[in-house]
Amino acid sequence: MLRYLNKCSHGRGAWLLMAFTALALELVALWFQHVMLLKPCVLCIYERSALFGVMGAGIVGAIAPKTPLRFVAILIWLYSAWRGIQLAYEHTMIQLHPSPFMTCDFAARFPSWLPLDKWLPQVFVASGDCAEKQWQFLSLEMPQWLLGIFVAYFVVAALVLIAQPFKPKKRDLFGR
């Protein structure tokens, strides 16, 4: 399996697939916000940002998968997935154990050099409450689904990183 993951990390297809899955999740989030009129909270916006990080890692990996740039993409992927896990876990705990002492901010705080909420307010402006449960599927709330998604991204990223020293086997004419 590790040899297979190493082989996949050297091709553009796997990286583009990862970027596409993150893009699909972003489009679903925008559907929830603008069509179903669900209000994203600050943690939702930060979770979106982590998904954009995963998508960015896929794009970086697809640019030059056979070069050391692949390792930069893996690090971006690991970091974004880990931050997504942290954010989705915090969001899940706020929803499962509501408390007046555990709340989220009213507005997202992006760095001054990257004011995403000013550049793309349709995507990065929060208007909801983190403790409010707005959507559920198979008895799980949205942050619980995101927690599972980010864990899956992280596990695969860790396996791909571990697989890097495992070179694919060279096969001769008779498949040995």
Side-chain angles (χ1 to χ4, degrees), residues 53-127:
V54 171
M55 184 173 30
I59 293 168
V60 168
I63 290 172
K66 293 181 181 0
T67 68
L69 189 60
R70 176 179 76 254
F71 291 101
V72 173
I74 293 170
L75 292 177
I76 295 169
W77 183 8
L78 281 166
Y79 176 75
S80 298
W82 179 251
R83 286 297 293 144
I85 290 169
Q86 291 174 323
L87 293 162
Y89 179 79
E90 179 183 351
H91 197 175
T92 298
M93 290 300 107
I94 288 174
Q95 285 193 348
L96 292 179
H97 310 290
S99 165
F101 304 108
M102 186 177 231
T103 61
C104 61
D105 295 334
F106 292 112
R109 290 180 287 165
F110 291 106
S112 60
W113 54 270
L114 189 68
L116 295 174
D117 53 338
K118 307 280 187 287
W119 294 345
L120 277 170
Q122 305 86 346
V123 178
F124 293 107
V125 169
S127 59

Side-chain angles (χ1 to χ4, degrees), residues 5 9 13 17 39 55 64 77 87 93-94 104 107 123 137 141-142 147 150 159-160 170:
L5 288 174
S9 74
L17 178 63
K39 296 179 180 177
M55 184 173 30
W77 183 8
L87 293 162
M93 290 300 107
I94 288 174
C104 61
V123 178
F137 180 66
E141 302 291 330
M142 199 172 306
L147 183 59
F150 281 120
L159 288 173
V160 168
K170 301 280 184 192

Side-chain angles (χ1 to χ4, degrees), residues 136-148:
Q136 184 175 343
F137 180 66
L138 298 176
S139 76
L140 295 176
E141 302 291 330
M142 199 172 306
Q144 293 169 314
W145 281 104
L146 281 173
L147 183 59

Side-chain angles (χ1 to χ4, degrees), residues 43-61:
L43 287 174
C44 295
I45 298 301
Y46 291 154
E47 290 158 359
R48 255 183 218 181
S49 300
L51 267 176
F52 274 113
V54 171
M55 184 173 30
I59 293 168
V60 168

